[in-house]
Amino acid sequence: MNRNRPVETHWMPGATRLFNLVIALLNSDGPRSVEWVLANVDGYQHDNDDSARRQLSRDRRDLAALGVHIGGTDELSLDPAQTFLPDIEFTDAEAAVIAAASHWAQSSGMHHAAQSAYAKLAAAGMQHRISTGEVAIPAIPDHTDLDGDSFDAIFRALDNGLVLSFNYYPSLVDTPQERRLEPWAFGAQDGLTYVTGFDPDRAAQRTFRLARIDSVVALPEFSQYPRPEGTPQQLIAQGLARSRQMVTATVEFPDDGAWELRRLTDDNGQIGPVERTWFVRTAAAYAPHVIVTSPPDLVADVVAVLKEAVK
């Protein structure tokens, strides 16, 4: 499960200065002089003017290596059309073809890479159904890193009506549980990626976030419970609602930060409904830049995660 666990994020030294330079040139009405850049772009205020100019020259080379070319010698400019790729849009038919191609790639050298690509497309908003060619567009992608064999097992079980077996981690500190599922749908909901279906051991629908499972195997057993009507997104939303995993919380932001949660908060300071486990972990990760004030049981869950983290 290690590859599905959070890792510490490091900000590359100098990255802020590079971003500042690019943003300053993109937002200008025309070329900017080197003197203007050194005086106004944060990160170039050196005591020695020669040092600042050398830093700017190095930064231009670093950006050029990344495909961001700043033109000019004394007057600097940045052409967005030559710097950034154009927006890519797909029709439903084109999206279905791409999803199908990645799903059905059979080359031994490309099979797992194609499955991984399909998973990323699905998490980013592309959900392919073989029978209907349906494509659904949800929100921001969830981070999942299941191995290729696990993705292959999920798709094989969906296509052939087989039962899945996998390890499920209720939280990052819990011992995994061995679970079984007759899968109905795979896709993204509110930026998080799930597989939902019928749990034969609990005789009810269950929905699992992919970031909480691993070691997925398609068993040589056929599903017995019929798949209900509905799109993948509808089935996932239904499963989350039935399992009471969706919550609405009230939060406060004492300072800047926690932008992932801030963008989801309405004018009344409420977030939701969102998936409970995701919210608890995310709120704990952003502490103290976000404070959960209600409901009490959700506050208690966040506090429990923070206490566990400092042990």
Side-chain angles (χ1 to χ4, degrees), residues 28 66 79 83 96 114 121 131 159 165 183 198 214-215 227 260 290 297 300:
S28 65
L66 298 173
D79 183 1
T83 302
L121 288 171
S131 60
D159 290 343
S165 172
F198 182 76
D214 70 359
S215 304
R227 180 188 187 278
E260 184 178 1
V290 61
D297 62 318

Side-chain angles (χ1 to χ4, degrees), residues 6-37:
V7 296
E8 184 178 356
T9 301
H10 298 277
W11 188 247
M12 184 181 72
T16 299
R17 187 179 61 252
L18 296 180
F19 274 110
N20 290 340
L21 176 59
V22 171
I23 292 170
L25 295 178
L26 283 176
N27 291 338
S28 65
D29 296 328
R32 295 290 194 182
S33 67
V34 171
E35 288 73 17
W36 184 94
V37 170

